[in-house]
Amino acid sequence: MAGDMVVVRREGLYCVPGDFYIDPWRPVDRAVITHGHGDHARVGHGHYLAAEGGVGILKSRLGDIAVQGLQYGETVEHNGVRISLHPAGHVLGSSQVRMECGGEVWVASGDYKVEGDATCAPFEPVRCHTFITESTFGLPIYRWEPQQQIFDDINAWWRRNAEQGRASLMLCYAFGKAQRILSGLDPSIGPIVCHGAVEPLNRVYREAGVPLPETRMVSEVDKADLKRAIVIAPPSAGGSPWVRRFGDFSDAFASGWMLLRGARRRRGVDRGFVLSDHADWPGLMSAIKATGAERVVVTHGSIPIMVRWLCQNGYDAKGFDTEYGDDEAEDAAAAGPAADGVKAQPVVPPDPHPDAKRWAVPEKAEAARAAGTADRSTADGEEDADA
């Protein structure tokens, strides 16, 4: 190719030959979404393309959007760019975006982790020439303990609190982290209570076939039983009037940032559990190596340090400045009426442009050809989908 397949525009990461965006932060006509966290999936785009497993999450968070789901590995073609989505191991339905054009292959990772997780498909290395990687924890100090050890620590903390007659308040991101923690809890210890911002997402996970233990809203648990309960709530619930009903409780926070003493101190909770849905330093390095990429583009996180390290180790590396942030930011809007399960006012996205076309799929291409209206991109889409 004469130039980069993906560049940064004011709207977001832009695939030049394909004329579409990846996780754009401003409204665009066509958006490929890697996963449903608020800094990657935003309202206002004309047409969304996402992994089939994440469609339910997107609709629950963005409303009635025009979204097309792809199975992992399934291919569509748009403006001569062959697009497929592959598991990122971050949260339910998270994906990497593979783009192929003129023999060149780029992969945009979105957020990812390489450790196994019972609540989402495992990360899949995808061979490519250029790999766009996140770097949220892109420093050598970030190294995670095995998640089972963290689950054991959480259950031991919960059991000890229950024996002492006080509730355990676990603060964590409502989408992804909450469900991952739920998958590792021991329900024999006591009731599991979820905040109103967490429970709707639990339902989406269950509908997608992810097994989670029984959870209840706080209003469904006797006051006496709350003393043995673990309560899963977003960070914004900490210190709010909602938590006063639990009386004497112990609180904790689960995040990769809990590895840092300063972060633990600022949170001001009793316990910090180091559990992240992002790759640690060894995970980032192993993922990059597995792609076989010669060029690496680093986004959100420790960009300068990671770019320098990659260049010193033989990679052609550079950074992209993006507007992706920390997953935690979205939780600021999750408290309030959602705490008790009160449904918040939905965000209504604008109608898609009436002349906009769908992403090319075989059956659409066939229909267009039969009607004599097939254009080049649609016809090409069918050919590649059948390949």
Side-chain angles (χ1 to χ4, degrees), residues 50-115:
E52 184 65 39
V55 168
I57 292 289
L58 291 179
K59 288 185 175 180
S60 73
R61 315 201 94 192
L62 303 182
D64 187 21
I65 58 174
V67 56
Q68 180 179 342
L70 279 186
Q71 298 293 338
Y72 287 132
E74 184 181 1
T75 300
V76 295
E77 185 160 326
H78 191 69
N79 290 340
V81 177
R82 184 180 296 183
I83 308 163
S84 57
L85 305 177
H86 303 265
H90 179 56
V91 292
L92 179 65
S94 61
S95 60
Q96 306 170 78
V97 184
R98 182 186 187 274
M99 296 155 282
E100 180 177 356
C101 182
E104 186 84 7
V105 177
W106 283 54
V107 171
S109 67
D111 292 339
Y112 67 91
K113 70 173 180 291
V114 298
E115 185 177 25

Side-chain angles (χ1 to χ4, degrees), residues 29-329:
D29 181 39
R30 291 183 180 277
V32 180
I33 303 299
T34 62
H35 65 287
H37 278 138
D39 57 331
H40 289 260
R42 307 187 190 219
V43 72
H45 307 311
H47 289 81
Y48 294 74
L49 182 71
E52 184 65 39
V55 168
I57 292 289
L58 291 179
K59 288 185 175 180
S60 73
R61 315 201 94 192
L62 303 182
D64 187 21
I65 58 174
V67 56
Q68 180 179 342
L70 279 186
Q71 298 293 338
Y72 287 132
E74 184 181 1
T75 300
V76 295
E77 185 160 326
H78 191 69
N79 290 340
V81 177
R82 184 180 296 183
I83 308 163
S84 57
L85 305 177
H86 303 265
H90 179 56
V91 292
L92 179 65
S94 61
S95 60
Q96 306 170 78
V97 184
R98 182 186 187 274
M99 296 155 282
E100 180 177 356
C101 182
E104 186 84 7
V105 177
W106 283 54
V107 171
S109 67
D111 292 339
Y112 67 91
K113 70 173 180 291
V114 298
E115 185 177 25
D117 178 345
T119 63
C120 63
F123 176 85
E124 174 187 303
V126 181
R127 303 287 291 183
C128 59
H129 298 97
T130 302
F131 184 55
I132 303 176
T133 179
E134 62 137 320
S135 62
T136 303
F137 292 102
L139 291 174
I141 63 169
Y142 294 112
R143 297 171 187 270
W144 311 144
E145 299 292 339
Q147 69 174 352
Q148 188 56 53
Q149 179 176 326
I150 306 302
F151 289 158
D152 292 344
D153 290 345
I154 292 174
N155 283 319
W157 165 73
W158 176 20
R159 184 177 295 105
R160 187 164 54 252
N161 290 332
E163 291 170 350
Q164 296 172 356
R166 58 179 183 173
S168 301
L169 176 64
M170 172 61 77
L171 302 173
C172 58
Y173 306 152
F175 168 39
K177 185 69 62 59
Q179 291 73 35
R180 187 180 176 195
I181 290 175
L182 284 170
S183 74
L185 293 180
D186 177 0
S188 69
I189 299 173
I192 302 175
V193 177
C194 284
H195 185 279
V198 176
E199 190 60 23
L201 294 162
N202 294 344
R203 286 196 288 272
V204 175
Y205 268 72
R206 291 185 177 108
E207 290 170 359
V210 177
L212 297 177
E214 180 185 4
T215 55
R216 287 181 269 176
M217 301 294 291
V218 65
S219 59
E220 299 171 340
V221 181
D222 292 339
K223 191 172 182 179
D225 288 339
L226 286 178
K227 296 179 179 179
R228 297 185 300 108
I230 186 169
V231 182
I232 308 296
S236 52
S240 72
W242 183 76
V243 302
R244 295 174 187 164
R245 69 191 67 193
F246 302 114
D248 181 26
F249 63 84
S250 176
D251 55 3
F253 192 85
S255 167
W257 300 115
M258 290 298 98
L259 190 66
L260 304 178
R261 183 183 305 170
R264 293 197 301 272
R265 185 175 60 250
R266 284 192 294 274
R267 278 290 168 188
V269 293
D270 296 330
R271 286 291 304 269
F273 294 101
V274 182
L275 185 70
S276 177
D277 290 329
H278 295 263
D280 60 2
W281 176 261
L284 290 168
M285 294 304 112
S286 66
I288 291 170
K289 184 177 181 181
T291 66
E294 297 176 352
R295 299 183 67 202
V296 180
V297 180
V298 183
T299 67
H300 57 302
S302 305
I303 296 176
I305 294 174
M306 196 159 150
V307 167
R308 186 165 64 246
W309 190 95
L310 290 169
C311 289
Q312 290 172 345
N313 285 272
Y315 289 93
D316 177 10
K318 67 177 182 178
F320 273 169
D321 288 329
T322 67
E323 295 188 12
Y324 306 134
D326 196 310
D327 308 337
E328 183 179 350

Side-chain angles (χ1 to χ4, degrees), residues 4-28:
D4 287 349
M5 189 187 304
V6 177
V7 299
V8 180
R9 284 188 170 183
R10 63 192 295 272
E11 296 88 352
L13 298 183
Y14 178 66
C15 179
V16 179
D19 189 25
F20 60 83
Y21 290 82
I22 304 163
D23 294 346
W25 43 82
R26 295 188 183 183
V28 300

